[in-house]
Amino acid sequence: MHKEQLMQLLDKMTLTEKVMQMTQLRAGMVRHTQPGEVSGDYGTRMLSNEELYATGSILGVHDAQYLIQTQKEYLESSRCKIPLLFANDVIHGYRTIFPIPLAQGCSFDPELIRDAAEITARETAVAGFHVTYSPMADLVRDPRWGRIMESPGEDPYLVGLVTEATVQGYQGDDPSAPGRIAACVKHFAGYGQPEGGREYNTVDMSRGVLRDFYLPGYKKGIDAGAAMVMSSYNVVDRVPASCSEYLLQQILREEWGFPGVVISDYDSIGQTIPHGAAGDAFEAGEKCIQAGVDMDMMSGIYAVTLKTLVENGSVSMKQLDAAVLRILELKNKLGLFENPYKDADPELEKQLHCCPEHRAVARKLAVRSMVLLKNENVLPLTADRKLGLAGPMAKTRKLLGAWAEMGRFEDTVTVETGLRAVLGDRLVTAMTAELPGDDREDVPDETEQALETFRDCDICVVAVGQPSWSIGEGASKTDLRLSTNQEKLIRCLKAAGKTVVTVVFSGRPLELAPILDSSDAVLQAWFPGTEGGNAVADLLFGKENPTGRLSMTFPRDKGQIPIYYNRYNTGRPSYSLSYRDCQEGPLFPFGYGLTYTQFKWSSPQIRASGQREGKPAHCLEDGELTVSIGVKNTGDREGEPLVQLYLRDVSASVVRPVKELKGFRRITLKPGEEQTVSFVVDQQMLSFYNNRERFVFEPGWFDIMLGDNSHDLQTQRIWIE
Ligand code: BGC
């Protein structure tokens, strides 16, 4: 449709139809299989048929057949015949489940992440959905918060790259094309730093911190063309994000020029009332539409209040029309006016869902997301020896992680299955009872039986972790250790003289210090998805080389939280980084990960084509500044180092983080091979938001850091202007 046709359609709509176009409900409500009352705290009123058949969008989990039928029934009964928009939370795969986003961040591989998102879009599109509520671009620092699993990690640059790749993978160049869906960047903004790691809690940060760390990730998603943005539940700077004019108007619309649809989070319009930002539903509705929320997800407040608010002049028709037009434009962009069913296809659904081609990409991404944290000359294993396998994650199919509702356990490859494919009956198992449903309970202690079963195994793989229900929304935790009996199992096997390979499944960094000495090797496997067990086997037996790097710092002790690499310095760093009762620094830093070979790093070189004679300054206007470092593979296996570039502005008008990742490059080196890796440092990389919220470059001294992870770096200080 052309814009004029959309405008004509808008003109024909009644006030009720406009208001309902801005409302998202559950499918059952429109199909009368659920009561038609609006949900949320305010929702007591039954919606009339006129209202129901003018609803703009449906949130729900179903399949192609159901959605085709829903759209059909809806269009038959609807006066305006504007197709419904079907949205769903497809976070790390639809039926083929990929590793959780925090793990995907560890791959440092945007291209592979884009491929995975493309597959996800294809599977979601044939199931009949038009939008996914993904990617989540909330930067995270607190492992107590259950939703860190949905974020690519603690670094703004990495979060931005993953967000961008995910949006591109879903939408391609044209979301109306077959197999494409619209992306919704969420949760805008700052949801990733709830105080104390407690779900939905207050976010209190300066605008400088918001600018430095939290906003860049969302911005990348918007620049990549994301069709939608979801406002968040939390308060930022004392205002709930869903009614924050600063966030939704000033930054999102005016500064970033976002043209798409802003949807609230589930009932977040209603939640402005308990926040204390609105006295009743009318005030909540008014504040949220004024701030710029176009569509109300499930609070029902727009449905119940907007008509009155327009009629009494509190909200202008112009404002309402602008929001409705954005929604119509989104539907048009998806091609729904031409084909309201888009790609929904029950037959293709059967063929594509979890097909071998999709599974192969899931296996590759799972391999690349796992991080080798320790290896005392144990890995890779050889397949010719008997191996013991123990632990609650050894036989479980619950390797998908939270937010994988459409994934199926029967499709999931367990660790046992993956290892058995290599070892056959040389694999023996013991103490494999699954984790109980209650986080406060432990697995039964069967260490004695395990020792007996493994009496002629020199090497034992122990698959441990926290259960998948201990992460995700509403799953904050105070205890980040493995359960008592899991730690005991590892200790006992080691004490009995076994070589212990610990494989950790979790949705957050855990406290691994208590099991580190008893483990000869540790592989952080996260929640790896459908192909999890195969990926573990690929890495343990060296079919694949480990390449994953931590997207989040691992604390030694949870008392250090929040602990992250890109902090601001204090005036007395030697005191303020330490605790009296804990060794200083993280257990494993951001960017860390081992391979099956070793590398030797040469001294970094800095070349500036704009360097003026007799002056120490590197002048960016006069030429390029290039920094490079040589890496040599000194081991006897092929390997892939990840060369990382960090910068620090050491004399700015506001303090800058001690290190900021600004680039990385992965190369493959054969044994003995050496390569030089170069980065061009430009003004953009050196700029930041000053205290007047302007993006500026301030000439001065900068530290240029290159190396293998955020801790092991070589630094050179230079003047740049
Ligand atoms: C979550 C969102 C999600 C929405 C719809 C909310 O509770 O915060 O991330 O997209 O529900 O399921």
Side-chain angles (χ1 to χ4, degrees), residues 59 89 133 147 150 186-187 191 200 230 233 265-266 297 403 473:
L59 165 70
D89 289 285
Y133 290 144
R147 298 197 81 168
E150 291 172 65
K186 69 185 187 184
H187 309 81
Y191 184 36
Y200 312 129
M230 187 188 293
Y233 282 131
D265 201 344
Y266 198 106
M297 189 199 297
W403 288 110
E473 189 171 351

Side-chain angles (χ1 to χ4, degrees), residues 273-335:
I273 301 171
H275 272 307
D280 62 13
F282 286 90
E283 198 181 346
E286 184 181 339
K287 284 195 162 167
C288 292
I289 187 172
Q290 305 285 21
V293 175
D294 300 320
M295 190 177 270
D296 170 0
M297 189 199 297
M298 293 301 291
S299 84
I301 284 184
Y302 277 6
V304 175
T305 66
L306 276 191
K307 210 170 156 209
T308 312
L309 289 169
V310 172
E311 282 163 355
N312 71 18
S314 311
V315 171
S316 72
M317 187 61 104
K318 194 167 159 231
Q319 223 163 0
L320 199 80
D321 280 352
V324 176
L325 189 61
R326 280 192 286 266
I327 295 166
L328 298 181
E329 277 170 346
L330 170 62
K331 294 182 175 185
N332 195 33
K333 199 172 173 176
L334 283 158

Side-chain angles (χ1 to χ4, degrees), residues 53 100 154 156 159 209 215 218 299 438 504 525 578 587 607 658:
Y53 291 112
I100 56 170
E154 74 184 32
V159 170
V209 169
L215 293 184
Y218 309 108
S299 84
D438 187 327
V504 183
S578 63
L587 190 62
R607 270 183 299 115
V658 291

